């Protein structure tokens, strides 16, 4: 049942940005930080980051508000190959308002579907 629940849709401009991000040619770590615009009931772009480490990215997250992140990073395999996985991170820290948590949780699957992501982590 929860797979079909859609609380908020994704902003059309963000859809296009996610599509371009998915096929980016750059080899640096990069991220798209997204939030929900409660009045419009849309997932919207909050900020973009280039050359950002996971630790620096964690410092960009609000302490008591949920957020969505799409992160592309350089990964060196044991056999020497290099890939650039794209993963989604859903951050819902302790202390978030239950209403916010529900809006984000109910919108996550739609965002994953639109961004065509296969690696999803929750915090």
């Amino acid at each position: 049942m929860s797979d079909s629940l859609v609380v908020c849709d994704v902003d059309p401009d963000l859809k296009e940005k996610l599509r371009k991000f998915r096929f980016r040619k750059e080899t640096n770590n990069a991220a798209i930080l997204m939030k929900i615009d409660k009045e419009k009931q849309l997932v919207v772009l909050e900020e973009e980051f280039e050359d950002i480490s996971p630790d620096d990215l964690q410092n960009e997250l609000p302490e008591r508000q949920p957020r969505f992140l799409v992160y592309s990073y350089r990964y060196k395999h044991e056999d020497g190959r290099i890939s650039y996985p794209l993963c989604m991170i859903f951050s819902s820290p302790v202390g978030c308002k239950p209403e916010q948590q529900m809006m984000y949780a109910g919108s996550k699957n739609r965002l994953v579907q639109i961004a065509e992501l296969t690696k999803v982590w929750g915090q």
Side-chain angles (χ1 to χ4, degrees), residues 2 5 7 68 90 100-109:
S2 65
L5 175 68
V7 175
F68 295 122
F90 171 36
Q100 282 184 316
Q101 288 176 323
M102 292 299 291
M103 285 185 80
Y104 277 79
S107 304
K108 181 186 77 159
N109 289 336

Side-chain angles (χ1 to χ4, degrees), residues 42-89:
L42 281 177
V43 179
V44 297
L45 174 69
E46 182 169 9
E47 196 167 348
E48 292 180 83
F49 300 97
E50 294 285 334
D51 289 320
I52 189 162
S53 72
D55 290 337
D56 290 340
L57 192 56
Q58 184 178 1
N59 292 332
E60 294 293 334
L61 295 173
E63 285 185 29
R64 290 195 164 71
Q65 292 181 351
R67 287 295 185 270
F68 295 122
L69 277 163
V70 175
Y71 189 52
S72 174
Y73 61 97
R74 185 177 194 267
Y75 179 75
K76 187 171 184 179
H77 298 265
E78 289 179 9
D79 62 4
R81 290 177 302 119
I82 296 186
S83 64
Y84 299 90
L86 196 62
C87 61
M88 178 165 154
I89 302 164

Side-chain angles (χ1 to χ4, degrees), residues 1-7 105-113:
M1 169 102 179
S2 65
D3 286 345
S4 62
L5 175 68
V6 177
V7 175
S107 304
K108 181 186 77 159
N109 289 336
R110 179 73 176 139
L111 182 59
V112 168
Q113 179 184 43

